């Protein structure tokens, strides 16, 4: 077993300093390359999500097709299914779930292409979009320098991850996300911002951060009122990123 796969997840997560407190505002100007880069850590292991909880909604396991997913205009998803995983088909567009969700716990496993190609944001780029609007960035951030709020595990364009827990290209990695949707009143006014907690390969990297609005490139748009439930989506950014073992647990009653 390689050193970066040692099973010390709990120790690493518990050892994070107390100064890494929950954040309510992004720490830097968007995409600032002078923003301090998250510290690279090692000695972590990808959690195995192949046995989801009994109350989970399974969106893809190692034996299924893309029946739970759709592409543009709700046409069948055109990404490529292989033995135990599926892969972005560059140019086919994003895919989204048939079902819609609000507050959720989400488990996603992914792997960036190997050998690695490109640099910066043009390297193993994809994204997990809660409600199709709020992105946790997928990127090959192993030895790849980019702006901190765009690296793997960032709440894109808002919050860099607390640490860089990335594995090498081709290795399976995991995101575990606790997401609470924004709340709006009857007039569409924001009552409470969306929040995210994210673990990357079992390590806490986002600690209940309060989103500023929709995640976007080059701007930080405010929240706009939307339905309480919307599909989860995965991004086609032109890179053959792989996914497997995707499931979620709904955290609010219908």
């Amino acid at each position: 077993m390689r050193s970066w796969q040692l099973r010390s997840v709990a120790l690493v997560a518990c050892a994070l300093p107390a100064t890494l407190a929950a954040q309510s505002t992004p720490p830097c100007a968007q995409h600032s390359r002078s923003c301090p880069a998250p510290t690279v850590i090692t000695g972590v292991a990808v959690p195995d999500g192949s046995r989801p909880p009994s109350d989970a909604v399974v969106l893809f396991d190692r034996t299924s097709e893309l029946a739970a997913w759709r592409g543009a205009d709700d046409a069948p998803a055109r990404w490529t299914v292989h033995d135990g995983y599926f892969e972005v088909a560059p140019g086919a567009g994003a895919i989204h779930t048939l079902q819609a969700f609000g507050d959720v716990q989400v488990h996603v496993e992914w792997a960036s292409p190997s050998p690695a190609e490109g640099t910066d944001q043009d390297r193993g780029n994809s994204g997990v979009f809660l409600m199709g609007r709020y992105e946790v960035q997928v990127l090959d951030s192993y030895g790849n320098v980019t702006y901190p709020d765009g690296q793997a595990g960032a709440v894109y364009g808002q919050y860099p991850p607390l640490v860089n827990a990335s594995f090498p290209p081709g290795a399976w990695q995991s995101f575990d996300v606790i997401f609470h949707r924004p709340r709006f009143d009857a007039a569409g006014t924001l009552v409470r911002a969306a929040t995210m907690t994210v673990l990357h390969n079992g390590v806490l990297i986002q600690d209940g951060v309060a989103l500023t609005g929709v995640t976007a490139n080059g701007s930080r748009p405010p929240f706009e009122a939307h339905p309480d439930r919307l599909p989860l989506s995965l991004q086609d950014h032109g890179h053959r990123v792989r996914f497997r073992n995707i499931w979620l647990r709904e955290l609010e009653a219908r």
Side-chain angles (χ1 to χ4, degrees):
M1 183 176 291
R2 298 180 185 178
S3 62
W4 46 267
Q5 288 180 312
L6 296 175
R7 295 192 174 277
S8 55
V9 174
L11 292 175
V12 174
C14 293
L16 290 172
T19 52
L20 299 183
Q23 294 173 279
S24 59
T25 56
C28 302
Q30 191 180 50
H31 307 331
S32 170
R33 293 181 184 269
S34 62
C35 191
T39 302
V40 176
I41 64 170
T42 59
V44 299
V46 60
D48 184 1
S50 62
R51 298 180 64 183
S54 60
D55 63 348
V57 177
V58 178
L59 298 172
F60 186 88
D61 60 24
R62 296 186 187 182
T63 63
S64 62
E65 299 295 321
L66 288 174
W69 300 83
R70 288 292 183 269
D73 300 321
D74 284 331
R78 294 191 294 120
W79 290 15
T80 307
V81 178
H82 297 273
D83 183 18
Y85 66 90
F86 65 92
E87 182 178 273
V88 176
I95 63 173
H96 62 269
T97 58
L98 274 171
Q99 290 180 255
F101 307 98
D103 295 350
V104 288
Q105 171 189 347
V106 182
H107 178 87
V108 178
E109 294 177 19
W110 58 275
S112 58
S114 181
E117 294 182 356
T119 60
D120 208 316
Q121 289 289 292
D122 188 28
R123 181 163 155 174
N125 193 321
S126 182
V128 179
F129 283 76
L130 285 302
M131 306 191 89
R133 287 164 163 75
Y134 310 109
E135 182 185 10
V136 180
Q137 175 78 352
V138 171
L139 193 80
D140 178 2
S141 291
Y142 188 82
N144 177 35
V145 178
T146 190
Y147 44 83
D149 63 7
Q151 77 169 61
V155 177
Y156 183 75
Q158 298 183 23
Y159 294 96
L162 295 173
V163 293
N164 182 348
S166 296
F167 290 166
W172 284 104
Q173 313 197 46
S174 71
F175 283 157
D176 289 280
V177 182
I178 309 299
F179 172 77
H180 292 280
R181 63 177 175 82
R183 264 57 176 179
F184 303 94
D185 65 18
T189 302
L190 181 69
V191 174
R192 190 173 72 206
T195 62
M196 277 196 205
T197 295
V198 182
L199 284 81
H200 183 192
N201 297 329
V203 175
L204 182 69
I205 61 166
Q206 302 287 356
D207 189 7
V209 295
L211 277 63
T212 63
V214 176
T215 57
N217 181 31
S219 65
R220 288 178 176 158
F223 288 100
E224 293 185 356
H226 57 66
D228 291 348
R229 294 177 178 275
L230 288 167
L232 176 81
S233 63
L234 301 175
Q235 183 184 40
D236 170 13
H237 204 282
H239 301 144
R240 296 186 184 277
V241 177
R242 299 176 177 182
F243 294 91
R244 71 179 187 188
N245 294 340
I246 304 177
W247 49 262
L248 60 77
R249 298 177 61 248
E250 298 193 73
L251 301 180
E252 60 179 312
R254 286 190 175 275

